[in-house]
């Protein structure tokens, strides 16, 4: 089946630093999504990407849909303590009603004040 | 607008007991999903539904059953709980299969002792 690779499993950064996360796949996707999960909550959608090469920003977050359609990255600039959480990438290759998102295993981000 | 509501939020079961987790959405979404989240494993799909009255198996369906008798509700049942089913369970929904992102509930933390 399709798999998304996110590594490392954990990242530790200093407040104010930028951080970049990558997500790669062995399969092509036509939709890439990035989610954030706060402790004790469900994942919340941050950014959605629908076109190869697309670059989209949401405040301090920027995400790109890779040209090969097999990867995506998320950048967080000027990190703050509330950026702590688990960041998931997800991809979909729509083929019909049973098409589903494939999720990466997530990266746990810690921000040191 | 409540979004996706999961009940209960916490539950402790003894091995062999049964229970039902309820997911309710008020967004008129067609598609609904049940995931489990375990440390280091990411989100794994248990069962899903592409519309009222339909259900289908996901990646890890064994030991679980589901029903979608009403469009707004998706029930996840454990007939005979096992310690391996200790996990955090998330329900999600979306309007259509071409994904603009799933909306997740806040989760149910289940412990089987």
């Amino acid at each position: 089946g399709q798999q998304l690779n996110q590594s490392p499993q954990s990242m530790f950064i200093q407040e104010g630093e930028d951080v970049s996360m990558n997500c790669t796949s062995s399969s092509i996707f036509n939709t890439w999504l990035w989610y954030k999960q706060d402790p004790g909550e469900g994942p919340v959608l941050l950014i959605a990407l629908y076109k190869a090469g697309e670059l989209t920003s949401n405040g301090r977050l920027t995400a790109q849909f890779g040209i090969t359609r097999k990867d995506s990255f998320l950048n967080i600039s000027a990190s703050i303590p509330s950026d702590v959480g688990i960041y998931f990438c997800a991809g979909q290759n729509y083929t019909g009603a049973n098409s589903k998102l494939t999720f990466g295993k997530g990266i746990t981000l810690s921000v040191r004040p | 607008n409540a979004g996706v509501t999961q009940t209960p939020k916490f539950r402790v079961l003894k091995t062999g007991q049964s229970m039902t987790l309820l997911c309710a959405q008020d967004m008129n979404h067609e598609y609904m999903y049940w995931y489990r989240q375990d440390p280091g494993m990411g989100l794994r799909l248990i069962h899903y539904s592409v519309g009222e009255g339909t259900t289908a198996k996901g990646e890890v369906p064994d030991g679980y059953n589901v029903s979608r008798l009403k469009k707004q509700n998706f029930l996840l049942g454990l007939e005979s709980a096992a310690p391996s089913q200790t996990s955090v369970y998330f329900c999600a929904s979306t309007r259509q299969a071409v994904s603009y992102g799933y909306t997740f509930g806040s989760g149910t933390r289940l412990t089987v002792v």
Side-chain angles (χ1 to χ4, degrees):
Chain A
Q2 296 173 324
Q3 289 187 341
L4 291 182
N5 299 306
Q6 288 187 267
S7 65
Q9 193 170 351
S10 302
M11 299 181 77
F12 299 86
I13 61 172
Q14 199 74 32
E15 183 177 356
E17 288 182 341
D18 298 348
V19 61
S20 187
M21 304 176 189
N22 200 39
C23 186
T24 61
S25 169
S26 57
S27 307
I28 288 173
F29 288 108
N30 50 35
T31 299
W32 283 94
L33 305 167
W34 284 91
Y35 282 84
K36 182 196 177 196
Q37 183 181 23
D38 288 328
E41 297 294 329
V44 173
L45 182 66
L46 296 174
I47 292 180
L49 303 157
Y50 301 105
K51 190 175 176 183
E54 181 180 356
L55 186 71
T56 297
S57 293
N58 178 6
R60 294 179 295 107
L61 279 60
T62 302
Q64 185 161 28
F65 190 143
I67 291 291
T68 65
R69 296 167 61 195
K70 291 185 177 182
D71 63 353
S72 176
F73 79 78
L74 174 71
N75 187 72
I76 304 172
S77 63
S79 59
I80 59 178
S82 62
D83 290 333
V84 164
I86 303 175
Y87 290 81
F88 292 98
C89 62
Q92 185 186 40
N93 189 27
Y94 179 73
T95 56
N98 286 298
S99 296
K100 299 173 289 298
L101 290 180
T102 299
F103 285 88
K105 292 186 178 181
I107 293 176
T108 300
L109 179 66
S110 299
V111 179
R112 291 187 288 259
Chain B
N1 188 349
V4 177
T5 303
Q6 290 184 235
T7 53
K9 292 191 182 300
F10 303 93
R11 186 73 186 267
V12 178
L13 283 181
K14 292 183 179 178
T15 298
Q17 285 185 320
S18 64
M19 79 163 293
T20 300
L21 281 67
L22 172 63
C23 177
Q25 53 93 3
D26 61 1
M27 298 171 286
N28 201 34
H29 283 175
E30 203 67 40
Y31 299 81
M32 297 185 74
Y33 307 85
W34 275 107
Y35 289 88
R36 61 177 290 173
Q37 185 178 29
D38 303 291
M41 301 295 289
L43 295 164
R44 292 186 291 169
L45 183 64
I46 305 171
H47 286 282
Y48 66 101
S49 168
V50 300
E52 180 179 320
T54 75
T55 62
K57 293 180 180 179
E59 182 186 353
V60 289
D62 294 343
Y64 305 95
N65 57 73
V66 286
S67 65
R68 183 100 181 268
L69 298 179
K70 293 183 178 181
K71 186 176 183 179
Q72 64 267 34
N73 295 337
F74 195 28
L75 278 61
L76 177 71
L78 287 74
E79 289 187 350
S80 180
S84 61
Q85 294 177 305
T86 293
S87 187
V88 182
Y89 292 86
F90 288 100
C91 176
S93 70
T94 190
R95 184 173 301 281
Q96 55 190 26
V98 176
S99 186
Y100 297 102
Y102 297 172
T103 301
F104 283 85
S106 58
T108 294
R109 183 174 293 275
L110 176 66
T111 302
V112 183
V113 297

